[in-house]
Amino acid sequence: MRPEILFPLFAELTTVPGIGPRFTRLYEKLAGPKIIDLCWHLPVSLVDRRYAPTLHDAQPDRIATLTVTVHDHYPPANRRTPYRVVCSDNTGQIELTFFHVKGDYLARLLPIGETRVISGKVERYGNRLQMTHPDHVVTPDKQDEIKRVEPVYPLTAGVTNKPLSKAISHAVSLCPEMPDWMDRGIMQKEKWPGWKEALLKAHNPDSEDALHPLAPARQRLAYDELLANQLALTLIRQAQTARKGRAIKGNGQLREKARALLPFDLTNSQEEAVAEITGDMEGPNQMLRLLQGDVGSGKTAVALLSMLAAIETGAQAALLAPTEILARQHMESLGPIADELGLKAVLLTGRDKGKARKAILEQIEDGSANMVIGTHALFQDDVNYQDLALAVVDEQHRFGVHQRLALAAKGKSKDPLSGQVAALDMLVMTATPIPRTLTLTAYGDMDVSRLTEKPPGRKPVDTRTVSSDRMEDIIHAIGRALQSGTKVYWVCPLVEDSEKSDLAAAEERFEALQSHFGDKAGLVHGKMKARDKDAVMEAFAKGAVDLLVATTVIEVGVNVPEATIMIVEHAERFGLAQLHQLRGRIGRGADKSTCILLYHAPLSETARERLSIMRDSEDGFVIAEKDLELRGAGELLGTRQSGMPEFKLADLAFHKELLPMARDDARLILHNDPDLQSERGQALRTLLYLFERDATVSYLKSG
């Protein structure tokens, strides 16, 4: 149960004065559905209203807070001219101008002969001082209502800064003083304020420096969030590693034969990964390991040898792929090797129906199928394994944790002494290079193996950046390439303009290219039915389609060695990690490959830097680290789909040094106080609830 002290912070936004039903949805979209979400919505800039000169000394183009007397009102002669109000102090005059404002409202706001405190941007118009639509107009006794330094928050259409600022002030005022969960030594060393003081300071910056992610108040809040994240992951990890697995120790015969069948020798990092995985499998506890390898680094070979280690013991192994086409590709590469080894590999996808499906299910259940490859169909209710010992999940980020768990539940082997069901060993793989920092935050519950080399024989991809002004030249060059038997990818842009969808952009480009190349051009996009998409992909891989126009659905897993050219249109709109993933679709055969990044000028500084990194590097891990630096964790393209945590206060581009600190702190805490029963432990339970890690609290003994 969430501690009572936090109840006010988890109330709905509708309880905040000024947020009626009309605005609730807008505020939810901007910050989140609860009051605590407003507390985490930090300012991005500020308006400094401390400059309070006389009118004689007031400098144009500065925000000023002025005390003036109202002289005269001059209503407009027509609707196109402004309503003017002349004010003065004993050193000069200023004209306030208002557009589309009713005179009776202004007469009440600025009565002639009375003193008012006004704040806004001073401008010079001819030889007169002017202020258009002052931000604040109050009587002198209410001048304290004008914040001398006003925070400016990220906004969305329909929400303005003034009411949002009010709502956030209300939310922050509800924050209680809480027992501090922070280690005293860390606080003193870093000179960080207490939690509530940090929150107040973050929302009331007194200078530009206070807005920086490395300002002490902001660092403190970021550390709280990272500590909650690391504490939660460490708790999950402890619960998982305590789960009894089964010791899977084969005799090595199948693996030895398989190595002889592979057309290449394993790289050093492949050998290391195989040793780490089989070492885990031989241990008594459940294996949960992440295999990270760049596109083309040979993850499939590592997966094969891991599966054979399980099969050597008489058990089964399953390989789960996110799409049918990827599952079929795995079957095409692993099936023949299984046959040579005298094993039975079967493919199960959603497409299998009736008698064919029944026959596959029987082979899985009676154990005659040693290796099972498929899509999410592998963990449906009617799929029963005789003895599943290892599950390999490819492209991990396409599956949620619950899907991983559904597959894990298919392992049924029991410890002969205790009768306990042994937890299934799991190897999850990703071709998305993840910066080390993010690996810690998203996969801290797993051990990690990394493949850092490419298998011998892989040729580098020649990457070029070309302006879209040269579109005609590119189309002619593609015509020549198609005539020589080359296959080409043309990736369409992520569309920013809300009038137009990614799909519309792809269809438009497809029609233009089809007019040049006829039936040689094919189109795939995310809105197509899986069967239609697979048919086009099949025609591209093995048939008459030589030019594939696509949205980013081809980013992961498609293997067409004959494709040696890729055009990425509007490359400046893509993140580095995604450009790298797309480029990984080519350079898979013996022929030289070229990737053309078509950009539209003018380029922003960040876009220019991104494109030059792509031109200069093929190392996915280097590219991922650069992407994190340039875009920040929240914006790494694909983050939302990848199971990455979205931090509200921590910005890993700035706070990555805090992450190992938080990890070590979390480990030490749980080593000394495994059930968080001490005084600090109880405060840390509150921290877990504050950052909505409620589920992990269930791993603790009550108290």
Side-chain angles (χ1 to χ4, degrees):
M1 283 289 289
R2 184 179 290 133
E4 206 171 317
I5 196 170
L6 297 180
F7 285 1
L9 299 180
F10 284 86
E12 301 294 324
L13 285 187
T14 44
T15 60
V16 177
I19 303 184
R22 202 168 114 244
F23 287 105
T24 305
R25 190 172 296 168
L26 292 173
Y27 277 70
E28 278 184 11
K29 180 180 159 195
L30 184 63
K34 303 278 192 293
I35 284 177
I36 189 67
D37 297 314
L38 288 178
C39 297
W40 301 151
H41 194 70
L42 298 183
V44 285
S45 62
L46 53 82
V47 177
D48 191 336
R49 300 189 185 281
R50 288 176 291 197
Y51 177 56
T54 61
L55 289 174
H56 175 269
D57 296 333
Q59 293 170 7
D61 299 318
R62 280 192 73 176
I63 300 280
T65 302
L66 309 167
T67 302
V68 295
T69 301
V70 183
H71 261 309
D72 281 307
H73 281 239
Y74 295 95
N78 60 56
R79 289 179 64 188
R80 284 197 294 275
T81 56
Y83 191 114
R84 296 180 302 119
V85 181
V86 175
C87 302
S88 66
D89 66 7
N90 55 14
T91 69
Q93 279 196 342
I94 188 166
E95 197 173 79
L96 311 183
T97 57
F98 299 87
F99 291 87
H100 312 299
V101 177
K102 290 196 171 123
D104 54 349
Y105 163 73
L106 290 176
R108 288 195 305 277
L109 186 70
L110 293 154
I112 292 173
E114 292 203 13
T115 301
R116 289 292 180 266
V117 178
I118 60 172
S119 188
K121 190 176 185 184
V122 175
E123 292 164 314
R124 190 171 288 287
Y125 187 71
N127 60 357
R128 297 196 305 271
L129 282 183
Q130 195 175 68
M131 188 184 284
T132 304
H133 284 275
D135 303 323
H136 298 275
V137 178
V138 297
T139 53
D141 60 318
K142 290 190 174 167
Q143 61 181 310
D144 289 348
E145 288 178 10
I146 300 175
K147 278 193 172 181
R148 295 301 172 171
V149 180
E150 194 174 287
V152 176
Y153 291 96
L155 302 173
T156 187
V159 176
T160 54
N161 198 65
K162 216 174 191 176
L164 175 62
S165 204
K166 244 182 193 166
I168 289 173
S169 290
H170 174 79
V172 172
S173 74
L174 295 175
C175 289
E177 288 291 348
M178 287 199 259
D180 213 325
W181 45 76
M182 188 68 78
D183 176 76
R184 293 261 160 74
I186 290 178
M187 275 182 77
Q188 283 165 356
K189 180 171 163 280
E190 302 294 337
K191 299 188 172 59
W192 286 342
W195 178 74
K196 183 156 185 190
E197 188 190 341
L199 195 63
L200 287 165
K201 280 188 168 169
H203 283 288
N204 295 283
D206 56 2
S207 66
E208 292 289 339
D209 288 349
L211 295 164
H212 196 278
L214 296 178
R218 290 211 175 197
Q219 261 195 318
R220 156 75 212 239
L221 295 173
Y223 187 79
D224 289 333
E225 186 170 29
L226 293 173
L227 181 58
N229 166 267
Q230 290 300 299
L231 204 53
L233 285 172
T234 309
L235 281 166
I236 293 168
R237 186 166 174 70
Q238 280 184 358
Q240 281 168 336
T241 50
R243 287 173 71 183
K244 207 79 185 117
R246 63 196 274 191
I248 300 167
K249 194 170 168 109
N251 56 19
Q253 284 180 358
L254 290 174
R255 280 170 283 174
E256 205 172 304
K257 286 181 189 165
R259 281 171 180 273
L261 293 171
L262 290 172
F264 50 81
D265 290 330
L266 265 59
T267 62
N268 289 336
S269 60
Q270 281 176 309
E271 291 287 12
E272 263 173 50
V274 169
E276 286 167 348
I277 292 160
T278 51
D280 279 1
M281 289 169 71
E282 288 170 10
N285 293 335
Q286 180 195 24
M287 171 177 81
L288 192 57
R289 185 171 278 276
L290 171 70
L291 177 63
Q292 261 193 286
D294 209 343
V295 172
S297 58
K299 291 183 299 301
T300 311
V302 173
L304 169 68
L305 294 173
S306 309
M307 290 163 82
L308 292 176
I311 294 167
E312 282 168 1
T313 67
Q316 293 164 298
L319 172 58
L320 172 66
T323 62
E324 195 166 303
I325 193 159
L326 196 48
R328 288 186 187 285
Q329 282 178 4
H330 280 311
M331 186 65 184
E332 280 167 24
S333 60
L334 299 179
I337 296 175
D339 290 345
E340 291 270 0
L341 297 172
L343 302 174
K344 175 81 178 164
V346 295
L347 176 71
L348 180 67
T349 71
R351 195 186 288 188
D352 298 304
K353 299 277 188 285
K355 283 182 181 170
R357 179 180 171 84
K358 191 168 178 249
I360 297 167
L361 292 180
E362 280 169 3
Q363 291 171 329
I364 295 171
E365 190 161 6
D366 66 20
S368 55
N370 322 82
M371 192 183 288
V372 186
I373 297 166
T375 55
H376 57 274
L378 294 189
F379 52 76
Q380 284 171 352
D381 290 347
D382 61 345
V383 184
N384 295 306
Y385 295 81
Q386 189 201 41
D387 182 14
L388 182 61
L390 172 71
V392 181
V393 181
D394 194 13
E395 286 310 330
Q396 142 68 17
H397 66 282
R398 297 295 180 95
F399 296 98
V401 174
H402 61 283
Q403 288 168 307
R404 213 165 74 195
L405 295 174
L407 185 58
K410 296 289 181 187
K412 288 185 190 148
S413 80
K414 285 189 179 177
D415 184 301
L417 295 173
S418 68
Q420 261 188 324
V421 175
L424 183 67
D425 279 359
M426 295 204 79
L427 174 66
V428 297
M429 309 196 295
T430 178
T432 309
I434 304 165
R436 285 187 190 278
T437 328
L438 289 189
T439 309
L440 263 185
T441 64
Y443 298 109
D445 61 326
M446 299 185 202
D447 293 306
V448 180
S449 294
R450 279 184 146 199
L451 300 180
T452 51
E453 306 155 84
K454 285 211 165 119
R458 275 265 177 160
K459 291 193 172 151
V461 174
D462 176 15
T463 303
R464 304 173 192 184
T465 52
V466 178
S467 167
S468 58
D469 298 345
R470 293 182 50 205
M471 181 74 78
E472 284 305 310
D473 299 346
I474 298 291
I475 290 172
H476 288 310
I478 282 176
R480 293 193 296 274
L482 292 175
Q483 278 172 349
S484 70
T486 296
K487 286 188 182 277
V488 179
Y489 289 107
W490 188 298
V491 181
C492 285
L494 293 160
V495 173
E496 291 163 332
D497 179 357
S498 59
E499 295 298 303
K500 198 169 170 190
S501 69
D502 292 6
L503 171 56
E507 284 174 335
E508 210 172 281
R509 177 56 61 209
F510 170 64
E511 281 164 20
L513 292 170
Q514 199 180 31
S515 68
H516 285 276
F517 307 119
D519 291 344
K520 280 190 170 182
L523 171 69
V524 290
H525 54 77
K527 301 263 183 346
M528 287 167 82
K529 287 189 174 131
R531 185 165 294 188
D532 299 339
K533 204 187 302 175
D534 286 352
V536 179
M537 294 301 305
E538 195 75 12
F540 181 60
K542 296 177 180 154
V545 171
D546 292 329
L547 170 61
L548 185 69
V549 180
T551 54
T552 54
V553 292
I554 57 137
E555 182 188 335
V556 167
V558 186
N559 187 25
V560 182
E562 297 75 20
T564 58
I565 295 176
M566 171 169 285
I567 316 288
V568 182
E569 198 176 338
H570 268 297
E572 75 279 3
R573 292 187 186 168
F574 292 84
L576 269 173
Q578 197 165 26
L579 285 173
H580 179 67
Q581 280 289 301
L582 289 166
R583 179 170 62 182
R585 298 300 108 222
I586 57 173
R588 293 172 159 249
D591 297 329
K592 188 169 171 293
S593 291
T594 307
C595 177
I596 293 170
L597 303 175
L598 266 183
Y599 66 85
H600 284 243
L603 288 176
S604 70
E605 201 46 54
T606 305
R608 182 173 283 110
E609 203 173 333
R610 271 210 296 271
L611 295 181
S612 71
I613 290 163
M614 284 301 295
R615 212 177 40 225
D616 301 341
S617 177
E618 272 203 271
D619 185 324
F621 293 110
V622 168
I623 287 169
E625 293 289 352
K626 281 284 180 196
D627 208 9
L628 180 61
E629 274 172 42
L630 287 177
R631 296 161 62 76
E635 281 205 43
L636 275 179
L637 267 176
T639 303
R640 279 203 172 82
Q641 292 80 39
S642 68
M644 293 287 179
E646 282 194 54
F647 293 118
K648 298 200 168 190
L649 302 167
D651 178 345
L652 294 179
F654 292 98
H655 296 135
K656 58 182 174 190
E657 308 304 322
L658 298 179
L659 197 54
M661 240 167 88
R663 181 197 53 194
D664 294 346
D665 197 7
R667 285 179 177 174
L668 187 62
I669 287 161
L670 290 169
H671 178 265
N672 295 334
D673 183 13
D675 294 313
L676 299 184
Q677 297 286 17
S678 66
E679 194 178 332
R680 185 184 178 202
Q682 294 291 342
L684 284 159
R685 285 173 177 247
T686 304
L687 174 72
L688 287 169
Y689 280 111
L690 184 66
F691 284 101
E692 297 177 77
R693 300 294 199 278
D694 307 29
T696 54
V697 183
S698 64
Y699 291 113
L700 295 161
K701 291 199 181 103
S702 59

